[in-house]
Amino acid sequence: MLHHLLLAICTLLLSAIATASSYEAKLPEQLTSDPDMCRYLDCKAVLPQAASFSPRQGKPPYVIGRDANGRTTGYVYLSTDVADIPAYSGKPVVTLVGMDARGKIVGVRILKHSEPILLLGIPEQKLTDYVNQYRDTWPEPASSWARATTRR
């Protein structure tokens, strides 16, 4: 009886892991070092108004999104490049963030998380909804990072 219960629990956990799109997702090793970050990630998903993206630059690293005329439309960066803060699991939630040229967050996408609570009854959509609340918001201090990067 206990054997069947343990087997059922393991099956439930494994199926949850298999269906969770960003739980312990394997990210390319080159992601943290290759200047062409957008080769590995869909930067357009978080900065849709950009037609092209620059190589990664600056500290913290970011890419510049440009429209078809070469004008800066915004910036894309990894949250862990800005603040590698551990979540409840002890590991950070890795997100791709798009910010327009004025500093407003226009897109956020979860790339990887290690939150086991999302496998035990809380749907991963709750984490996605939580992260998406930052879209169309201004980080504090408002647009200072964007202003600093556009002075070049």
Side-chain angles (χ1 to χ4, degrees), residues 51-121:
S52 64
F53 297 91
S54 74
R56 197 180 316 194
Q57 56 191 290
K59 291 191 191 243
Y62 60 91
V63 299
I64 299 173
R66 300 188 192 288
D67 66 16
N69 296 316
R71 289 185 299 257
T72 298
T73 59
Y75 309 91
V76 177
Y77 60 91
L78 292 171
S79 60
T80 49
D81 285 343
V82 176
D84 198 7
I85 300 170
Y88 184 77
S89 68
K91 298 177 184 176
V93 174
V94 183
T95 57
L96 187 65
V97 180
M99 180 182 291
D100 73 13
R102 298 174 301 142
K104 185 168 82 173
I105 295 172
V106 293
V108 182
R109 184 171 162 218
I110 300 169
L111 302 177
K112 179 179 182 175
H113 73 85
S114 302
E115 299 307 307
I117 191 68
L118 298 177
L119 301 177
L120 301 173

Side-chain angles (χ1 to χ4, degrees), residues 5-26:
L5 178 61
L6 289 174
L7 182 61
I9 290 171
C10 287
T11 302
L12 177 64
L13 287 174
L14 288 174
S15 66
I17 290 171
T19 60
S21 63
S22 59
Y23 180 79
E24 288 295 328
K26 181 157 175 53

